[in-house]
Amino acid sequence: MTIRVMLVDDQVLLRTGFRMVLAAQPDMEVVAEAGNGVEALEVLRTTSVDVVLMDVRMPKLDGVEATRRICADTDPPKVLILTTFDLDEYAFSGLKAGASGFMLKDVPPGDLLSAIRAVHSGDAVVAPSTTRRLLDRFAPMLPSSGKQQEHKELERLTEREREVMVLVAQGLSNGEIASRLVLSEATVKTHVGRILTKLGLRDRVQVVVLAYETGLVRAGGHG
């Protein structure tokens, strides 16, 4: 099955480079390009896309707002944010807007291809170590204690699911969670799936953001 990719970046040279890398892959095809968020939204009305590589700093409509609008649609493509700087404030905003992950623009081609495949298969692409650093830096921007958003669905989680959610929010991988809770990795994966279903979330990134917003986990990574 071919992954249909759309490139959204105001730098033509960068799009050309990405297109060359993707064109060499038997399982990927660049089906559309856009130079800003407005163009991207227009193209998506008439083109079927699986994964959008989205720059954040663009004229007319930035990548964060474009991502928010794309992800508000029914059955939207997955969005992978491309950022110039690690821990860019736009990266966090992009994740909150619905992106499935973010990568640095100077990422090695192999890592970019792996990220596209991972996002397409439903995984989130934010390395655990990056998740921890990202949230420790941006958690102060989230509602402070006493002002957390109510999320009644959290009450539907079992005690074990809450434990797993806290560890996911701290940036642990399924393997690390399995080791911490003395469970099999398959069992952890099942728990994560149930958490996503019960809370109506799309992926681990949204689990992380929600855990911080509701106060389940606080800055510094402690539940």
Side-chain angles (χ1 to χ4, degrees):
M1 180 179 160
T2 302
I3 302 173
R4 297 163 298 186
V5 181
M6 179 180 187
L7 306 176
V8 184
D9 197 299
D10 59 335
Q11 297 180 48
V12 177
L13 195 60
L14 204 72
R15 295 206 310 265
T16 302
F18 282 140
R19 187 170 64 245
M20 288 172 64
V21 170
L22 300 184
Q25 303 304 307
D27 62 337
M28 293 185 194
E29 179 187 1
V30 176
V31 295
E33 295 186 32
N36 58 61
V38 173
E39 286 180 20
L41 293 170
E42 288 174 357
V43 172
L44 283 171
R45 291 193 189 102
T46 57
T47 308
S48 294
V49 174
D50 298 312
V51 177
V52 178
L53 293 186
M54 178 74 75
D55 184 25
V56 284
R57 293 183 174 94
M58 295 181 294
K60 295 187 180 178
L61 188 69
D62 67 42
V64 173
E65 181 57 30
T67 296
R68 185 175 291 110
R69 295 187 194 182
I70 288 170
C71 294
D73 284 344
T74 52
D75 196 24
K78 299 295 192 341
V79 178
L80 189 55
I81 294 280
L82 293 172
T83 176
T84 309
F85 305 105
D86 195 8
L87 294 187
D88 189 321
E89 67 272 18
Y90 285 99
F92 184 72
S93 300
L95 297 179
K96 287 202 65 175
S100 293
F102 72 94
M103 302 288 289
L104 295 179
K105 284 188 177 181
D106 60 358
V107 64
D111 290 355
L112 176 66
L113 297 171
S114 296
I116 292 171
R117 293 185 181 107
V119 165
H120 181 248
S121 70
D123 290 335
V125 184
V126 184
S129 60
T130 308
T131 303
R132 282 190 279 262
R133 297 203 319 275
L134 187 73
L135 287 166
D136 282 348
R137 172 163 170 177
F138 292 112
M141 294 162 51
L142 296 171
S144 59
S145 184
K147 296 180 184 175
Q148 281 97 6
Q149 298 176 9
E150 290 294 321
H151 205 283
K152 295 291 185 187
E153 282 77 3
L154 284 181
E155 298 170 5
R156 296 167 57 190
L157 299 182
T158 64
E159 191 173 334
R160 175 64 86 190
E161 286 164 356
R162 286 175 78 95
E163 278 184 287
V164 171
M165 183 171 176
V166 166
L167 296 177
V168 167
Q170 289 174 6
L172 274 64
S173 66
N174 284 354
E176 291 169 331
I177 294 172
S179 176
R180 180 80 65 90
L181 299 180
V182 197
L183 300 169
S184 73
E185 202 164 330
T187 300
V188 172
K189 195 169 182 179
T190 299
H191 282 312
V192 172
R194 286 179 181 154
I195 291 166
L196 294 177
T197 301
K198 287 183 178 181
L199 301 182
L201 304 176
R202 190 190 57 254
D203 55 37
R204 296 169 78 95
V205 172
Q206 292 191 334
V207 171
V208 173
V209 173
L210 180 66
Y212 275 76
E213 285 184 332
T214 56
L216 190 63
V217 173
R218 291 180 291 281
H222 305 295

